[in-house]
Amino acid sequence: MGGVTMSLTTATTAARQTDKHINIYEPHEWKHSTKVAGVTWKNPVGTASGTFQYAAVRWFYDVSQLGAVSTKGCSPIPWEGNPSPRTAEGPASNLNAVGLQNPGVDHYLEDDLPKLKKAGALVVANVAGHCDDDYMQVVAKLADSDADMLEINVSCPNVTHGGMSVGTDPVALAALMDKLRPMTDKPMIVKLTPNVTDITVPARAAVEHGADALSMINTVLGMRLNIRTGEPIIANKTGGVSGPAVLPIGIAAVYRVRTALPEIPIIGIGGIDSGEKALEYLYAGANAVEVGAAALFDPVAPLRIARELDDLLDERPELAAKLAAGKTWR
């Protein structure tokens, strides 16, 4: 890793001795910013919700260096998540069915958010719910918080709509957004599921009913079986597939939505583990990207990718200028 000033082990030890977070990279002056729904990110790379934990990564890098930090989905009350086993491996991918385990929005406001803001991060608070009322309770508490943006995860099973993801039903999604949009002036991102026939349909519903930006894709539905027992490996039977294998799916989703909705800001997600792959999303029409699964095996992946992308944009001044102005390549 270019620019690393000390090993991860040395950095972690030094940080723990002083109880301070440490940036294992040399100080970096970001050259290429972007704008998402009017909010300036110092670079086009953030973390993907569910894959970032400040308590862990603060030993490895300064989170204020990222374009944005999208935090784990928070619910109105603590959720225990799904039973174990929750994860399995796939070809160039992993599956998970964690079930959005989290300590709830009150803990988020008292602990997680203040720590991130004190560290200087631009924070995207991810909102989870099993029904419209869940989403409304969380947004009500985040409406006047220090979070910079809200990301509404509409891929949860929604009990008021027959247990299906509200993100697969444009009518249900429109109804949810009609309730949430008046509750806050914060920029609102809707995170879309790829598990639909045509992702432009829910995308349009979200935008027409108040979304300021879209992020895509959430995980793809998948399964692995234990060939000794013939049973699913994951207790939940199915899980969300992420990692390098979903890269083409995510890029196609961004490209299709950008073509259908040329003005809406888009954050690309899925299979990004290098600056080059992040660049593909920008050429597909994204304003920014979020790094997820790569951070699970390389804790510094989001910052490494951001620095790689910053250098790649040096050679692409037309694209860099569009991003800085809040525009996109397409």
Side-chain angles (χ1 to χ4, degrees), residues 13-49:
T13 302
R16 285 175 176 161
Q17 288 173 345
T18 60
D19 195 31
K20 294 180 180 179
H21 37 46
I22 189 166
N23 185 0
I24 67 168
Y25 285 87
E26 297 169 353
H28 187 74
E29 183 175 343
W30 297 102
K31 296 163 287 184
H32 306 296
S33 64
T34 192
K35 285 185 180 178
V36 179
V39 178
T40 299
W41 294 20
K42 64 183 62 178
N43 61 68
V45 179
T47 62
S49 175

Side-chain angles (χ1 to χ4, degrees), residues 259-323:
T259 302
L261 300 167
E263 303 300 325
I264 192 69
I266 295 174
I267 302 169
I269 313 169
I272 301 169
D273 58 14
S274 67
E276 288 83 357
K277 290 176 182 175
L279 185 61
E280 281 193 67
Y281 273 97
L282 299 183
Y283 276 133
N287 300 73
V289 299
E290 291 177 0
V291 176
L296 300 178
F297 60 84
D298 175 9
V300 298
L303 185 57
R304 170 180 58 79
I305 292 166
R307 292 182 61 140
E308 291 173 358
L309 181 60
D310 208 41
D311 290 340
L312 289 166
L313 288 173
D314 285 346
E315 303 168 7
R316 295 161 175 83
E318 185 179 356
L319 172 58
K322 286 179 179 292
L323 294 172

Side-chain angles (χ1 to χ4, degrees), residues 78-160:
W79 284 355
E80 294 184 1
N82 292 326
S84 296
R86 296 175 165 186
T87 62
E89 293 184 359
S93 63
N94 61 66
L95 291 80
N96 88 84
V98 172
L100 291 166
Q101 178 179 342
N102 76 98
V105 66
D106 290 337
H107 179 274
Y108 181 79
L109 288 168
E110 294 168 6
D111 187 84
D112 300 333
L113 183 57
K115 287 178 179 177
L116 285 168
K117 294 306 296 182
K118 184 178 180 180
L122 191 152
V123 180
V124 179
N126 187 278
V127 179
H130 285 318
C131 62
D132 289 6
D133 188 58
D134 283 353
Y135 287 104
M136 293 172 69
Q137 289 184 55
V138 176
V139 170
K141 292 189 174 184
L142 293 175
D144 297 317
S145 71
D146 289 334
D148 297 283
M149 310 178 81
L150 303 183
E151 185 177 47
I152 312 301
N153 176 10
V154 295
S155 302
C156 311
N158 193 298
V159 297
T160 59

